[in-house]
Amino acid sequence: MFLSKVLRIVLIFFIATGIFLGSFLVFYSGEAEASSITKWQKMLERNGIDRTLWQRYLPKITHKEYNKIRKLILSGASATPVATPAAVAPSLGPDISVGLWYFSKSDTFKLTANKGYNIKDKDGKIIAQVAGDAMTKVVYDDNGKLIVSGSIPDTSVDDKVTFDASDGDNSSIIFDVNKPGDSYDHFRGKIEVNYYHGNDIYNGNSSNVSQMWVINILPLEQYVWGMGETTGTGPDDHVKVMTTIFRTYGDWYIQNATKYKPLGFKIRNDSGSQIYGGYDWEKDHANIRKAAEATRGQVITYKGDVALTPYCSYTDGKTRDYPGSDYPYLKSVKDHKEGTKKDMKPGDNGNHMWGLSAHGALGYAKDGKSWIWILGHYYTHVDISGIY
Amino acid sequence: MKNFKWILIVGFVLIAAVIFGYAYTILKDRYGHNPSGNFNVNRVLGVNESNSVLGNQNGNAENLNQNENGNENLNQNGNDNTGFNTNSSDKNVTGKDCDNDCSRFRGNQENYKYCQEVCGDIPVSKKNSEEDCTNLTGLEMDYCLRDLAVSKQDTTICDKISDSKLKTTCRNRVAEELLN
């Protein structure tokens, strides 16, 4: 009698607990299902992929579905929101900021564009929208401030002013930045003027300087189109080699460079990083853009990370191991005879002899080697992967 | 009968434990800390999979595994054994933080400085020898070793840095110098 009473109590307790936990599970499983964001969904969100491309796979995006979306994007769908399917355009990649040159307190910076442009302050607030042919001037004022004038009445701004397309389409705007003594002074994308005061990082000395930096910010692909390191006149595979290296080099700087951050940019436009001529160079050397489009988004990676891809003009017959063990793919390899100058020593004329020899690569391309083979020859055990 | 009762109770406890365990994981996923952003890679779309055209000779399986684990890397904190007076999640500097001038850390002077050092906001100061760093400890020593490595353009000095993020910044910064 006693035992059956105990059993009854246990049974009732079981049923009550079951009802409680069952309701709890139904409620929270439903909630959790709705909010169960998988790591694949997080990757899509973090990469800014248009939600309309993956919404149908919700509530739970699997690895398989992630790969489907990825393939869709690689096949040409835009990763960013678009108005209509007809407006889908290939991605031009992440933005890179390029330091063009700096001017001093006594100089005046002048700028026009091929279409209407915004003048924005350091917080991104639009100060004015002006016609493309209206010339805007920037001079140093005082206490780290700049004065914007010309196209608008004199306006004092903080230490940074930005110019971009007033119609929102920065992919087709071209600025004329009127660089003194330089005919390569047209640039795609955005232009910034950034005041810097501090150690002379750019010239590598500890004296205090004040510099007004002119900076070009544009998508990585358009940056590659304007690379001044080559004329693009060699075999197609050689130009593809070079554009892939330029893109990889730029991407490595986007992700890892810090040296010029206080100045407001990631990479220099001269041989201190890699030579960038902008739109004028792009116009005069159409093969570079052609090869860049043929290899769009392809970068050299090592174990999933973008590789550091130094390159030089010549070697003495072999490239050199890069110091340390951080970049195991930068191993000494034999160079092609076309890239070989027997009397050259590492360091001569900036030829560090790490990574790829540009003239050696040209020799291999003339021999009929493919761009993929050439990259695999100079950079050991790497992959070539599409990042957009 | 007594044994039966105990079997029932143990069974109940086990079932309840399993159910609570399941519920806990759901709640943890829902309300738990979910750091966002990544210091190094914040946009690469699974770079090492089917679109790879060269083929890593070290083995694709390894690469795929690395890639799939990419997201987990987001949560990695540096080596916190540096005498830094805060918990590790406070130090999780992301690429977004670097883009935002470390504004998230402005309330804590030490964290703010750490973020600025990782992001490269503070220019490297010239150092002549390791003796310049000998009297320092913790992160101050790491900052000093990073400056020395850059000044000497010697990546092996970076290996002596304790904090993993500063070590990475150091290696990348030396590479910038060597390629300049």
Side-chain angles (χ1 to χ4, degrees), chain A residues 305-364:
Chain A
D305 288 329
V306 62
L308 179 68
T309 50
Y311 55 93
C312 58
S313 294
Y314 295 98
T315 67
D316 59 356
K318 61 174 185 182
T319 64
R320 296 293 194 276
D321 287 346
Y322 185 86
S325 56
D326 301 327
Y327 307 97
Y329 44 89
L330 297 176
K331 293 280 179 209
S332 173
V333 296
K334 185 177 175 291
D335 198 7
H336 190 278
K337 61 178 186 240
E338 197 155 326
T340 299
K341 286 190 173 181
K342 282 288 175 200
D343 298 333
M344 185 167 270
K345 292 184 179 62
D348 286 356
N349 300 321
N351 284 283
H352 45 58
M353 301 190 191
W354 296 316
L356 180 137
S357 149
H359 284 88
L362 179 62
Y364 283 124

Side-chain angles (χ1 to χ4, degrees), chain B residues 97 100-107 112 115:
Chain B
D97 291 319
N100 294 335
D101 297 328
C102 299
S103 55
R104 185 162 70 91
F105 297 93
R106 284 206 174 117
Y112 184 49
C115 178

Side-chain angles (χ1 to χ4, degrees), chain A residues 257-320:
Chain A
T258 55
K259 181 173 182 178
Y260 301 109
K261 186 158 188 246
L263 310 183
F265 57 88
K266 285 280 187 180
I267 195 165
R268 298 164 65 132
N269 71 335
D270 61 6
S271 58
S273 297
Q274 53 183 5
I275 299 168
Y276 166 65
Y279 180 71
D280 292 310
W281 189 270
E282 173 196 326
K283 238 181 7 176
D284 295 344
H285 304 87
N287 283 348
I288 300 172
R289 177 171 175 177
K290 198 175 138 201
E293 286 175 340
T295 59
R296 183 181 67 82
Q298 300 291 315
V299 299
I300 299 163
T301 57
Y302 182 76
K303 293 191 173 179
D305 288 329
V306 62
L308 179 68
T309 50
Y311 55 93
C312 58
S313 294
Y314 295 98
T315 67
D316 59 356
K318 61 174 185 182
T319 64
R320 296 293 194 276

Side-chain angles (χ1 to χ4, degrees), chain A residues 7 24 31-32 39 46-47 63 67 70 251 255-256 258-261 326 372 382-386, chain B residues 1 23 26 30 40 43 45 47-49 51 53-54 56 68 71 74 98 121 155 171 176-177 180:
Chain A
L7 275 174
F24 174 84
E31 287 284 297
K39 68 177 178 181
R46 192 173 305 111
N47 288 304
H63 187 194
N67 273 337
R70 198 172 136 269
D251 198 39
Q255 294 193 39
N256 300 302
T258 55
K259 181 173 182 178
Y260 301 109
K261 186 158 188 246
D326 301 327
I372 293 167
V382 295
D383 281 317
I384 300 172
S385 311
Chain B
M1 204 58 179
I26 292 170
R30 191 173 182 215
N40 199 19
R43 60 183 173 71
L45 252 184
V47 293
N48 218 2
E49 296 176 22
N51 60 330
V53 289
L54 198 62
N56 189 319
E68 286 178 343
N71 238 15
L74 302 181
C98 294
D121 291 336
T155 191
R171 286 171 177 159
E176 280 189 83
E177 287 298 323
N180 199 331

